[in-house]
Amino acid sequence: MGREERDVVARGARLAEAARNVAGDHGRAVEAVRAALAPIHDAAVRRELDAIPVARLQDVTEGRLRLGGVEQSGLRTVGAVLDAGAYRLLQIPGVGRRTVDQMLAAARRLSEAVHETVAVHIDVDRPEPGTTALVVALQVLVEAGPEARRAVDRAGALSQRLEPLLADARPVAGRFRMLLAGPERKARALSAVAELRPLVDEADRGRVPELFAQASVDLLRGPSSDLAAWSDFELRSAEYYSLLAEISGAAPDAAAAEGFLPDEIAERVRAQRLHDAHRRVSLRGYQAFGARFALAQRKVILGDEMGLGKTIQAIAVLAHLAAEGQSHFMVVCPASVLVNWTREIEARSALRTMLLHGPDRRDAFADWKERGGVGVTTFDALRGFPAPDGGEIGLFVVDEAHAVKNPKAKRSQAVARWAERCERALFMTGTPMENRVAEFRSLVGMLDRGVAESLDDGDALAGSVAFRRAVAPVYLRRNQQDVLTELPSLQHTDEWEELSASDAEAYRDAVRAGNFMAMRRAAYLRPERSAKLERLREIVEEAGENGQKTVVFSNFKDVLRVVEEALADGAPVFGPLTGAVPAARRQQLVDDFAAAPGAAVLLAQIQAAGVGLNMQAASVVVICEPQIKPTVEHQAVARAHRMGQVRPVRVHRLPATGGVDERLVEMLARKTRLFDAYARRSEVAEATPDAIDVSDTELARRIVEAEQVRLGTTDGAHVERPDGDRLRRTDGSVTVKP
C-alpha cells in the first residue's frame, strides 16, 4: 500500500471536512433565522387567537358545546380560553369536566391550525428590534445567494458517498493499520480507495473545494448594519420572503401551489429534474413546480395570476435547457416589456440575450442564428422572421399570450407557426380568458391540437373541476391568495364624489350628445371646478406627506394631462405613460419613478400600463374613473400589489354619483362576483350564458339611453362607441356609422 493511496484518502478526508463545514455554516445561519422568527411568529399566532370569538369553538365541535356561561364570565376569545386553562374553566357555573375537556381540545385544534397557517408580515415602515433581527439574519442567506444553496446541496450529496467510503478506507491512512487489518478489511479498504479516487478527481475538476470554501466565507461573513439590511430587504423582499417561507415551513397549500392538477400529471411534474447551474435566482416551491410543469409537459400555458413571477419561471426553464445543451431560445412579447425581459434574463441567469427589434432587427436575427442565446422580439417583428426548422429552438416563450387568441390575426398565425415547429413552447398570460371558451381553445390548439379538439363548452359548464381536468395537460394557473401568504394587505376604497355644478353641466352636454366616452371623463373636462380632481389632489398630497409613491391610472390621455397640470406644484410627476410612449421609454419612466427619493407620482394610461411593467414602488393607486371590464382594473392594481411589494397597497377609485360611473360600478360588481365564483377556479371566464359580458358597444348604448331618459335629454341622434366610432340611431335601431 503506497503513498498514492494514502493521498487519495487524505484528499477525500479534506473534501468531506469541507462538506461538513459548509453544511454546518449553513445550518447555523438557518438556526439564526429560526431563533429570530420564533417570537414574531408566536406573537402573530397570539393576535390571531385573541381575535377568534369563543363561539368558533362551536364550529369545531359541530355545535355540541354550550358556551353562554363561558362568554358571560369574560372569556370571549379562543386565546382567553387557552390562557384560562382547565381549573379556571371549571369554576364557571354550569361548566362541567366533559365540557371543559371538549372546549380545550377544540381550542388547541384551532391553535394548531393558526400556528401552521399564520403568515409573518415584515413592516418596513415600522421596524422593531424583533423584525430587524429577523431581516439581519435573513440577509446572511440572501447575500450568500443560490450558489451557497447549491454548495450545501452538493455537500450533502457528497457526504453521503464519502463518509462510508472513508470509514472503510481508514486502514490505508497508516502502514501499521494496514498491516494489522485482516484480509477482509484490507480488501474492503482497497475497494473503498478505488471508489474514492474518481470521486475526489471529479470534485477537483469541478472546483468543488473552491465552491465549498467560498460558500463558507459568504455564510460566515456576518450581517451588515441594520440600515443596510433593511435597505436590501426593500430591494429584494421577494427573495427574503421566499427564504422565510422555506425555513419556517409555511409553504402554501400543496394542491393550490400545484394548480389542482390531477395526481398523475402532478406526479410526473414532481419527478422532473430542474438544473440550476445557469440560474442566478432562488425559486419558490410553486415557481419550481411551474418550471417543472413546462419541462415535463413540453408545450404549455402558464396562467399564473399577475405578480407570481411567471418571468422567473420561464427563465428557470431556459436555464435548465441551456444546461442540457440547448443553445437557441426565442421570447416574443409586447414592445412595452422588451427591455424588462432582457434585463430579467441578464440579471437572473447566465444566458446571453439578443434584442431582435428596431431597424437592425434582421441583422440581429442573423447574429442570433449564428451565435445563439435568447432572442427577444415583438409579435409584429416575429412575422418578419422565418419560422424555424424542427429541433433548432430549445424553447419558444410567448408572453402576454392572450394577445394572440384571435386565430385570424396575422400575429396569431405567426406565433402558431413558430409554436408548431418548436419542440417546446411556453405561453404565459396573467389574464384569465374571460370571454368564451372558443378563444381559450384557440390558444390551446397552438400547443396541443388533441386537447383543443376535446375541449368544448360543456366542460366549462360542468364547472371548474371538470374544466381543469380537461385542460390539465397544457394549463397551469395559481392565484396570489393561494401562494403568496406574505403579500401585504390590499385595501380598496370607492371615493364617491358629488359632481360640482360645472361637472354636472359638462356631463349633461355629453349625455345630450350621446357621447359615452365624454360622459366617462366629464368630471375632468372643467378642472378648475372638478370635484374628482380635488379629491385626487388630497389623496396624492396625503401620500406625499407620508413619503409614499402614487400611481394614477386613467383610460384617457386628456384626463392624465389635466391631472399632470393639477399636480405640477407637488411631488415629482413622471409620465404620462401611454400607448404612444416607446417601450424603452416606458421602462425608463417606471425606473425613474422607483428611483425618486420619497414621494412621487406616476401617471399611466390604464391599458398601456396594465401589461408587463412592475410598479411595486407605489403603495397608493388612484383609478380616475371606473373601467368597463373588471380585469382591466385588476391587472393595473396587480402591477403594484405583487411579489416584491413590502407595503400595504391602498387603491382609491373615483366614481361620481348618479350617472355613468354609478351604473358602471354596479355592472363591475356583478361581473366581479361572477368572475370570482367561476373564472378564478376554472381558469376561463364566464361560460354560462347569463355570465358572458355584453359587448362594450351594447353596454355603452344601454347606459347612454338610460341616462338620456333619466336626464330628459332624449333628442340625441347618436351614441358614441367605446372605441370612438359613432353609432347612429335610425328608426329606433343602432347601426355602426360607415
Side-chain angles (χ1 to χ4, degrees):
M1 186 59 54
R3 181 179 301 172
E4 184 180 348
E5 286 76 9
R6 290 195 296 274
D7 181 60
V8 169
V9 174
R11 289 165 61 203
R14 289 194 296 271
L15 186 60
E17 183 181 10
R20 286 193 297 271
N21 287 342
V22 74
D25 296 336
H26 183 264
R28 283 184 286 275
V30 168
E31 283 305 314
V33 171
R34 289 193 175 122
L37 174 64
I40 301 173
H41 184 263
D42 291 346
V45 169
R46 181 69 212 198
R47 286 192 298 272
E48 285 286 319
L49 293 173
D50 286 342
I52 299 175
V54 73
R56 281 285 304 280
L57 297 177
Q58 291 277 18
D59 301 336
V60 181
T61 60
E62 299 179 352
R64 293 193 301 269
L65 289 175
R66 296 179 181 178
L67 301 171
V70 176
E71 291 181 279
Q72 290 172 9
S73 73
L75 303 178
R76 294 187 172 83
T77 69
V78 173
V81 167
L82 287 169
D83 284 346
Y87 180 79
R88 165 81 190 280
L89 292 171
L90 285 169
Q91 309 308 307
I92 300 172
V95 176
R97 167 60 65 179
R98 183 176 180 185
T99 298
V100 167
D101 290 345
Q102 289 179 336
M103 193 185 313
L104 286 175
R108 291 187 189 107
R109 284 203 296 276
L110 275 175
S111 177
E112 289 167 4
V114 169
H115 197 275
E116 291 177 1
T117 59
V118 73
V120 169
H121 298 288
I122 300 173
D123 191 341
V124 72
D125 292 319
R126 285 181 286 276
E128 298 174 349
T131 53
T132 297
L134 178 58
V135 170
V136 167
L138 282 168
Q139 192 195 19
V140 173
L141 290 165
V142 171
E143 281 291 316
E147 291 78 10
R149 184 55 188 265
R150 277 197 287 271
V152 172
D153 291 344
R154 187 73 179 271
L158 261 179
S159 292
Q160 283 187 338
R161 299 181 66 186
L162 285 172
E163 297 295 349
L165 291 175
L166 287 170
D168 286 344
R170 189 172 292 118
V172 176
R175 293 179 183 176
F176 292 111
R177 285 185 184 177
M178 199 63 177
L179 288 172
L180 295 174
E184 184 178 342
R185 185 76 189 276
K186 287 180 181 178
R188 220 171 37 243
L190 292 173
S191 176
V193 170
E195 290 187 55
L196 272 173
R197 183 177 285 108
L199 264 182
V200 294
D201 287 346
E202 181 185 357
D204 286 343
R205 286 194 300 271
R207 303 180 66 84
V208 172
E210 289 89 339
L211 173 69
F212 290 169
Q214 184 60 54
S216 284
V217 168
D218 293 337
L219 291 164
L220 293 171
R221 186 172 289 132
S224 56
S225 69
D226 295 355
L227 182 60
W230 276 112
S231 298
D232 192 57
F233 172 75
E234 283 203 63
L235 290 172
R236 298 191 284 178
S237 64
E239 294 180 45
Y240 280 75
Y241 274 123
S242 179
L243 274 169
L244 189 59
E246 180 184 329
I247 291 170
S248 67
D253 175 75
E258 295 178 356
F260 302 101
L261 291 176
D263 290 342
E264 65 274 14
I265 294 178
E267 285 294 335
R268 182 162 63 250
V269 173
R270 293 185 205 113
Q272 169 67 49
R273 188 178 179 187
L274 187 61
H275 294 291
D276 62 359
H278 295 292
R279 177 163 35 94
R280 293 174 178 158
V281 62
S282 298
L283 300 179
R284 297 188 172 213
Y286 75 88
Q287 291 173 333
F289 186 87
R292 289 188 172 98
F293 176 79
L295 290 165
Q297 299 301 101
R298 304 185 75 83
K299 291 188 176 183
V300 300
I301 301 173
L302 181 59
D304 284 350
E305 196 171 37
M306 283 187 299
L308 296 184
K310 290 187 293 295
T311 302
I312 288 175
Q313 293 175 69
I315 291 171
V317 178
L318 292 168
H320 171 93
L321 294 171
E324 289 194 336
Q326 296 286 348
S327 59
H328 288 72
F329 310 96
M330 178 65 77
V331 174
V332 58
C333 61
S336 60
V337 293
L338 279 172
V339 175
N340 190 61
W341 263 102
T342 56
R343 284 185 178 184
E344 286 292 297
I345 294 170
E346 290 168 356
R348 312 286 187 178
S349 76
L351 304 179
R352 174 178 178 267
T353 61
M354 175 67 73
L355 192 61
L356 312 179
H357 182 62
D360 298 328
R361 60 183 177 273
R362 294 189 182 278
D363 292 339
F365 183 82
D367 184 59
W368 169 78
K369 286 271 288 184
E370 180 181 350
R371 300 173 58 197
V374 185
V376 184
T377 192
T378 65
F379 292 108
D380 291 333
L382 185 73
R383 291 165 49 196
F385 300 144
D389 298 326
E392 66 181 280
I393 305 297
L395 180 67
F396 179 48
V397 179
V398 181
D399 194 12
E400 306 292 347
H402 53 273
V404 293
K405 64 185 179 183
N406 178 6
K408 296 180 180 179
K410 291 182 178 179
R411 62 164 54 180
S412 302
Q413 293 166 6
V415 166
R417 281 195 300 273
W418 275 72
E420 182 180 9
R421 298 191 186 184
C422 294
E423 293 184 3
R424 295 180 183 273
L426 174 57
F427 285 16
M428 306 194 314
T429 174
T431 301
M433 308 308 295
E434 64 173 314
N435 293 321
R436 291 175 176 81
V437 175
E439 293 174 343
F440 183 76
R441 187 190 297 117
S442 174
L443 280 185
V444 173
M446 297 183 192
L447 303 174
D448 191 318
R449 199 168 301 278
V451 172
E453 290 174 354
S454 69
L455 182 64
D456 58 38
D457 293 354
D459 292 315
L461 293 172
S464 60
V465 174
F467 193 84
R468 277 201 303 271
R469 188 179 300 115
V471 300
V474 296
Y475 188 52
L476 176 67
R477 177 176 172 83
R478 283 76 59 90
N479 299 320
Q480 280 191 356
Q481 66 187 36
D482 293 328
V483 297
L484 283 192
T485 56
E486 83 284 353
L487 201 63
S489 63
L490 178 65
Q491 177 186 342
H492 285 270
T493 304
D494 278 346
E495 306 273 357
W496 288 96
E497 300 297 325
E498 293 283 347
L499 292 177
S500 68
S502 179
D503 294 337
E505 183 180 350
Y507 182 73
R508 182 178 287 271
D509 290 344
V511 172
R512 184 179 295 111
N515 190 330
F516 178 68
M517 292 311 223
M519 289 163 59
R520 293 183 62 201
R521 61 184 187 270
Y524 298 94
L525 294 179
R526 300 176 184 179
E528 64 280 356
R529 296 180 183 177
S530 168
K532 280 193 182 185
L533 197 58
E534 183 59 32
R535 180 59 186 137
L536 189 151
R537 280 197 202 95
E538 292 171 358
I539 293 169
V540 171
E541 287 173 5
E542 180 184 346
E545 289 170 0
N546 291 305
Q548 296 173 307
K549 289 181 166 61
T550 304
V551 57
V552 178
F553 289 117
S554 175
N555 189 66
F556 306 103
K557 295 178 184 178
D558 54 354
V559 170
L560 292 176
R561 285 194 292 270
V562 168
V563 172
E564 183 177 19
E565 292 175 6
L567 301 179
D569 296 332
V573 177
F574 298 86
L577 193 161
T578 70
V581 176
R585 178 59 182 153
R586 291 189 204 185
Q587 185 65 53
Q588 189 60 52
L589 280 172
V590 174
D591 290 347
D592 292 345
F593 167 68
V601 181
L602 176 65
L603 307 180
Q605 198 172 11
I606 197 163
Q607 294 279 18
V611 176
L613 296 172
N614 302 333
M615 302 175 180
Q616 61 261 42
S619 53
V620 177
V621 176
V622 179
I623 300 176
C624 290
E625 70 286 320
Q627 303 304 305
I628 295 174
K629 293 183 179 179
T631 48
V632 173
E633 291 189 8
H634 294 167
Q635 289 175 1
V637 171
R639 292 298 159 203
H641 191 247
R642 61 192 295 114
M643 186 170 60
Q645 177 61 265
V646 295
R647 295 180 173 86
V649 175
R650 290 184 294 125
V651 181
H652 302 265
R653 186 167 56 180
L654 303 178
T657 57
V660 62
D661 286 0
E662 194 161 329
R663 295 180 183 275
L664 278 174
V665 168
E666 290 172 359
M667 291 182 180
L668 281 170
R670 186 167 64 252
K671 290 181 186 180
T672 299
R673 284 194 298 272
L674 289 166
F675 183 75
D676 286 342
Y678 183 82
R680 282 174 62 88
R681 292 193 296 272
S682 69
E683 326 311 350
V684 294
E686 304 93 324
T688 52
D690 61 342
I692 295 175
D693 289 348
V694 295
S695 69
D696 293 352
T697 300
E698 175 68 9
L699 181 147
R701 184 186 67 77
R702 290 183 189 178
I703 291 178
V704 171
E705 289 185 347
E707 286 298 283
Q708 287 178 337
V709 170
R710 184 178 71 86
L711 296 177
T713 60
T714 56
D715 57 334
H718 54 263
V719 177
E720 193 84 1
R721 275 175 59 107
D723 59 6
D725 293 335
R726 185 160 289 177
L727 302 179
R728 191 164 54 214
R729 189 176 293 107
T730 306
D731 298 329
S733 63
V734 177
T735 58
V736 180
K737 181 179 178 181

